[in-house]
Amino acid sequence: MEELFSLKGKVAWVTGAAYGIGYAIAKAYAKAGAKVVFNCSRQETVDRGLAAYKEDGIEARGYVCDITDEEAVKSLLEKIEKEVGKVDILVNNAGMIKRIPMTEMEVSEFRRVIDVDLTGAFIVSKAVIPSMIERGGGKIINVCSMMSELGRETVSAYAAAKGGLKMLTKNIASEYGAYNIQCNGIGPGYIATEQTAPLREPQPDGSKHPFDSFILAKTPANRWGTPEDLEGPALFLASKASDFVNGHILYVDGGILAYIGKQP
Ligand code: GCO
């Protein structure tokens, strides 16, 4: 059983893994024996990540690279291959959100979210797939969202990107499954991270943010998730244990997608 879930000797590239969900996933992979590399678009975020890994006793390499820049991604991949090894596991985790009502959103803002959350995953996957084919296989895990399935006010660009990422996942599985490449999505529910902090901020009178209570009423588990809740599912999708699982989106949401919500 241990062998089934071991990542010993594997190289895992988790984009944007300086903190939050990506960090928890990378940490799980390191604990399972993988060599972990990550990138962020800014040096200060890379430094923040490196300090956190060091504190957790994890040897991780961090690089500055903007995943929307194909040339930069290609040269980073060459560097990773030279310095660490060929990439066996890619996690397309880097992402962003803009919460703006659709009719007030600039087209440039919409395009930026699509560029980072969807086109970035295309660019990095496109870069690693040829060497995965050459070496007989690989694992690609795309960090999807509740918004791969559901809409809500203010997140039109994010929902469009995450819905697209779900279909990119299925398409990579379809196109490269014959090369022993498994491409699956992990779909976090509402996880307590920096990205969702504004939705949990207590009100000036000390009461819960209305969105906080709303999410608890929508989640059978009756709590927000933690980045650590993603560790086991992400490890499953990166390991031998999931070798015949392809094009699947594994939602880790405390049951949100199964539930109509608590009656007020
Ligand atoms: C929002 C949230 C979500 C979460 C997450 C849910 O504004 O609704 O930020 O988009 O980030 O992706 O799965």
Side-chain angles (χ1 to χ4, degrees):
M1 271 304 136
E2 215 175 286
E3 202 203 306
L4 208 55
F5 289 95
S6 170
L7 302 184
K8 223 176 164 130
K10 303 283 184 193
V11 174
W13 177 4
V14 187
T15 67
Y19 55 90
I21 288 173
Y23 183 81
I25 292 176
K27 198 168 75 176
Y29 290 176
K31 284 194 279 183
K35 289 185 220 155
V36 164
V37 302
F38 71 100
N39 72 285
C40 300
S41 56
R42 288 180 307 143
Q43 184 66 52
E44 56 185 281
T45 323
V46 171
D47 291 343
R48 177 183 166 187
L50 288 173
Y53 287 108
K54 199 165 167 207
E55 213 182 300
D56 274 336
I58 291 165
E59 232 180 89
R61 280 181 185 254
Y63 303 89
V64 176
C65 176
D66 176 351
I67 55 161
T68 66
D69 177 345
E70 186 168 24
E71 286 314 308
V73 167
K74 278 193 209 158
S75 53
L76 175 55
L77 181 64
E78 273 173 32
K79 207 166 172 187
I80 292 171
E81 289 181 344
K82 222 179 286 154
E83 292 180 3
V84 189
K86 305 255 184 187
V87 177
D88 302 290
I89 301 156
L90 165 66
V91 182
N92 286 308
N93 162 76
M96 67 179 300
I97 191 165
K98 285 184 190 287
R99 299 187 183 97
I100 305 170
M102 182 172 153
T103 52
E104 289 162 32
M105 191 173 218
E106 299 293 341
V107 176
S108 59
E109 293 174 314
F110 185 89
R111 286 203 172 112
R112 178 70 187 145
V113 175
I114 300 286
D115 215 22
V116 174
D117 291 0
L118 179 57
T119 315
F122 165 80
I123 290 174
V124 186
S125 303
K126 179 186 163 189
V128 303
I129 286 170
S131 96
M132 286 182 172
I133 293 176
E134 254 169 48
R135 285 170 306 121
K139 301 273 185 184
I140 300 177
I141 296 118
N142 291 330
V143 178
C144 295
S145 163
M146 292 292 91
M147 269 67 220
S148 298
E149 299 293 337
L150 303 169
R152 82 171 189 89
E153 299 77 3
T154 74
V155 297
S156 58
Y158 185 79
K162 292 295 187 178
L165 188 58
K166 173 181 75 174
M167 284 314 300
L168 179 64
T169 303
K170 294 186 184 204
N171 214 84
I172 294 173
S174 306
E175 204 161 347
Y176 298 105
Y179 298 95
N180 191 32
I181 292 175
Q182 289 84 48
C183 180
N184 291 289
I186 188 163
Y190 278 84
I191 310 292
T193 61
E194 287 178 32
Q195 196 206 61
T196 56
L199 306 174
R200 284 175 288 109
E201 190 111 310
Q203 300 295 86
D205 68 357
S207 64
K208 261 194 192 330
H209 192 297
F211 196 88
D212 190 345
S213 317
F214 165 69
I215 286 305
L216 294 179
K218 285 292 242 180
T219 311
N222 197 36
R223 66 170 176 88
W224 285 69
T226 66
E228 288 68 34
D229 284 323
L230 278 323
E231 286 191 356
L235 178 58
F236 168 66
L237 294 177
S239 67
K240 243 177 97 55
S242 61
D243 276 358
F244 202 54
V245 177
N246 214 354
H248 183 75
I249 314 296
L250 176 51
Y251 289 104
V252 185
D253 66 353
I256 292 178
L257 290 176
Y259 188 38
I260 195 166
K262 192 168 276 147
Q263 183 189 305

